[in-house]
Amino acid sequence: MSTPPPPPYYRLHTDHFAQASNRPAYYSSMREHYGPVAPVEIVPGILGWLVVSYEAAQEVLLDKESFKKDPTDWAAQLPADHPVLGMLGPRPNPLFTDGAQHARYRRVISDALASVEPHHLRDTVRVVADHLINQFVDDGTCDLIRQFARPLPSYLFNRLFGQPDEKAPRLVSSLAGLMEGVGAEVVAATREFEGYMGGLLASKKAQPGPDLATAMMQHPARLNDGELQHHFVLTVAAGQEPTTNLLGNSLLEYFVDDDIYTEVVNGTLDVMPLINRVLATRPPMANYGAHYARRPVTFHGRQLVPGVPILMSYEAAAQDPAVLGTGAHMAWSLGPHTCPASSMATTITTIALTQLIHRLPDLQLSVPANEIRNRPGPYHHALEALPARFTPVTAATRSEPPWPSNPYTTAPQADPAREATPASWQTWLPTACPAGHTGP
């Protein structure tokens, strides 16, 4: 492991910073030279602060009087098409707003997500996971990022938003460009992603259904078209990249940690200890949650002024010597902007991992662990690839069948004459017991 460049050159956008073996040295160097808050270059030419202590991160996330989420003042200093605005620019959604406006926006997303019945979600994840596993199950080798962890959330959220599977690859490519692209690549990816969401809004206006898009459109908050589109953008983006990274990082931990491996495959297939370990050591969104000082403030010895982004290092906070080894983490953030989909993300990851290990129990890395690389990008902790091998499965395997009443399942054997589901998500209920019971 080489040492990081000397301060103040903590460049979060470099490949050197991205690699897992280098990150602890960066965070340690930041604490040594600057304490809890260190100067960083987020993307080329864009400077900011990175909070690298657990205590300091708590203070920022909970202090609504001194810090805000709205980046409008900062963004006004930049060209309207600056690439950094793809991830940090102002949006009419809960991630970039404060106070009453934030509460209104957050309620729309929280209510829509709460409307997804847990058994519907679990079943849809199993169906999507099986679909993806079936594409490589008889090969004996696979790239678990490209063939499983990356496409799974795109297929899943496409279905939850009432979109066909063939549109899922557009989500993968556009979001990857947003997260790790540079210059014109980010601008093009932003346009592609927002264009996709605009098309989704138009299609749901024409044909509402039992899906997340319709739930947001019918919400009592009555969002306008611009607000709806940006709520779609946030929900899908937050569901895609972080879920991909949580899946990929959990699989890597499963492969390299013998104790975790034994605990998972000892017959219980309990993957929660594995997921909790990853949330505390390599959270999927490592450095994000930008805040801005409302007024000049002295914070842990640093002079913070309005108009400069202050990123939360959820990764460094969990590695803070003050909490290291306790399992404490901030992977879901904290305070009013705590992730509203943490339960859903945990369910998706749990079911997907369990299904994969159940189907391919002898899955293992096909390259040395020290050859696994991260994708560059200032915000995430994301694997570039995860090559694996296993015993090919040539016979058909039986997986758990979908619930007959699941509105997301598009099984080919479905009866086309079955009565259509009502368009309103809130009024939808199964017409019969999904287990098949007809009463006494």
Side-chain angles (χ1 to χ4, degrees), residues 60-145:
V60 174
L61 293 168
L62 296 177
D63 186 352
K64 295 182 290 184
E65 298 301 318
S66 300
F67 301 98
K68 64 178 182 177
K69 290 282 289 179
D70 184 355
T72 301
D73 295 340
W74 167 72
Q77 306 171 43
L78 303 173
D81 61 349
H82 195 289
V84 76
L85 298 179
M87 287 294 292
L88 298 183
R91 300 280 193 280
N93 67 38
L95 189 60
F96 300 105
T97 51
D98 303 282
Q101 186 182 34
H102 165 258
R104 172 175 173 256
Y105 286 161
R106 183 180 174 91
R107 176 59 61 189
V108 173
I109 289 182
S110 297
D111 288 350
L113 295 178
S115 297
V116 181
E117 292 291 344
H119 69 272
H120 294 160
L121 178 64
R122 291 192 295 268
D123 175 53
T124 306
V125 176
R126 290 189 187 99
V127 170
V128 171
D130 278 336
H131 169 74
L132 296 172
I133 295 167
N134 288 343
Q135 308 306 307
F136 57 79
V137 70
D138 58 353
D139 293 342
T141 62
C142 64
D143 174 0
L144 288 169
I145 299 301

Side-chain angles (χ1 to χ4, degrees), residues 222-263:
R222 296 186 177 277
L223 302 184
N224 61 40
D225 285 359
E227 292 171 324
L228 281 168
Q229 181 171 339
H230 284 289
H231 279 64
F232 294 173
V233 167
L234 174 61
T235 305
V236 174
Q240 172 67 37
E241 276 295 317
T243 305
T244 290
N245 299 340
L246 184 56
L247 272 170
N249 294 342
S250 296
L251 283 165
L252 179 59
E253 190 78 10
Y254 170 74
F255 290 140
V256 302
D257 189 297
D258 291 341
D259 291 337
I260 282 287
Y261 181 89
T262 301
E263 190 170 354

Side-chain angles (χ1 to χ4, degrees), residues 88-406:
L88 298 183
R91 300 280 193 280
N93 67 38
L95 189 60
F96 300 105
T97 51
D98 303 282
Q101 186 182 34
H102 165 258
R104 172 175 173 256
Y105 286 161
R106 183 180 174 91
R107 176 59 61 189
V108 173
I109 289 182
S110 297
D111 288 350
L113 295 178
S115 297
V116 181
E117 292 291 344
H119 69 272
H120 294 160
L121 178 64
R122 291 192 295 268
D123 175 53
T124 306
V125 176
R126 290 189 187 99
V127 170
V128 171
D130 278 336
H131 169 74
L132 296 172
I133 295 167
N134 288 343
Q135 308 306 307
F136 57 79
V137 70
D138 58 353
D139 293 342
T141 62
C142 64
D143 174 0
L144 288 169
I145 299 301
R146 182 177 59 84
Q147 295 176 268
F148 188 73
R150 183 160 292 280
L152 187 141
S154 64
Y155 277 85
L156 174 65
F157 278 90
N158 243 12
R159 292 189 180 198
L160 293 180
F161 270 86
Q163 295 292 88
D165 286 351
E166 58 265 22
K167 292 190 176 183
R170 287 182 63 192
L171 291 179
V172 174
S173 60
S174 60
L175 281 167
L178 271 173
M179 286 286 182
E180 61 201 57
V182 294
E185 295 174 0
V186 181
V187 176
T190 302
R191 289 173 179 165
E192 169 73 8
F193 186 43
E194 293 183 354
Y196 179 93
M197 291 302 154
L200 169 62
L201 177 60
S203 69
K204 289 291 104 181
K205 278 187 171 183
Q207 191 173 4
D211 51 59
L212 286 173
T214 301
M216 293 185 196
M217 292 168 65
Q218 295 178 347
H219 194 276
R222 296 186 177 277
L223 302 184
N224 61 40
D225 285 359
E227 292 171 324
L228 281 168
Q229 181 171 339
H230 284 289
H231 279 64
F232 294 173
V233 167
L234 174 61
T235 305
V236 174
Q240 172 67 37
E241 276 295 317
T243 305
T244 290
N245 299 340
L246 184 56
L247 272 170
N249 294 342
S250 296
L251 283 165
L252 179 59
E253 190 78 10
Y254 170 74
F255 290 140
V256 302
D257 189 297
D258 291 341
D259 291 337
I260 282 287
Y261 181 89
T262 301
E263 190 170 354
V264 170
V265 301
N266 67 358
T268 64
L269 279 184
D270 181 8
V271 298
M272 277 310 302
L274 169 63
I275 294 171
N276 288 333
R277 170 84 67 85
V278 169
L279 290 172
T281 56
R282 46 175 76 120
M285 295 302 291
N287 304 297
Y288 199 45
H291 283 67
Y292 303 83
R294 291 184 180 273
R295 62 191 68 85
V297 59
T298 301
F299 185 73
H300 288 271
R302 303 291 149 218
Q303 300 301 314
L304 307 183
V305 298
V308 177
I310 308 163
L311 300 188
M312 302 299 103
S313 182
Y314 305 122
E315 186 170 57
Q319 296 176 14
D320 184 342
V323 299
L324 188 63
T326 66
H329 69 79
M330 291 186 178
W332 308 121
S333 193
L334 191 69
H337 289 272
T338 301
C339 175
S342 59
S343 177
M344 175 179 279
T346 302
T347 297
I348 294 168
T349 306
T350 300
I351 297 299
L353 288 173
T354 302
Q355 200 73 354
L356 180 67
I357 297 168
H358 165 68
R359 295 282 303 276
L360 304 173
D362 65 344
L363 198 64
Q364 58 186 297
L365 275 180
S366 59
V367 298
N370 60 9
E371 293 184 12
I372 301 299
R373 294 180 56 79
N374 287 331
R375 292 157 47 211
Y379 314 110
H380 58 197
H381 193 143
L383 297 180
E384 191 175 83
L386 194 60
R389 65 175 183 268
F390 53 90
T391 302
V393 179
T394 55
T397 56
R398 181 179 182 274
S399 183
E400 185 170 341
W403 289 69
S405 61
N406 187 347

Side-chain angles (χ1 to χ4, degrees), residues 30-47:
M30 291 177 190
R31 293 190 192 96
E32 177 185 353
H33 289 94
Y34 293 103
V37 188
V40 294
E41 186 177 57
I42 302 170
V43 299
I46 300 296
L47 303 179

Side-chain angles (χ1 to χ4, degrees), residues 1-51:
M1 180 184 70
S2 56
T3 58
Y9 301 106
Y10 297 115
R11 298 189 174 102
L12 304 186
H13 54 85
T14 66
D15 181 72
H16 188 274
F17 172 78
Q19 302 318 311
S21 61
N22 296 333
R23 288 181 184 239
Y26 270 86
Y27 298 139
S28 294
S29 179
M30 291 177 190
R31 293 190 192 96
E32 177 185 353
H33 289 94
Y34 293 103
V37 188
V40 294
E41 186 177 57
I42 302 170
V43 299
I46 300 296
L47 303 179
W49 297 97
L50 187 69
V51 179

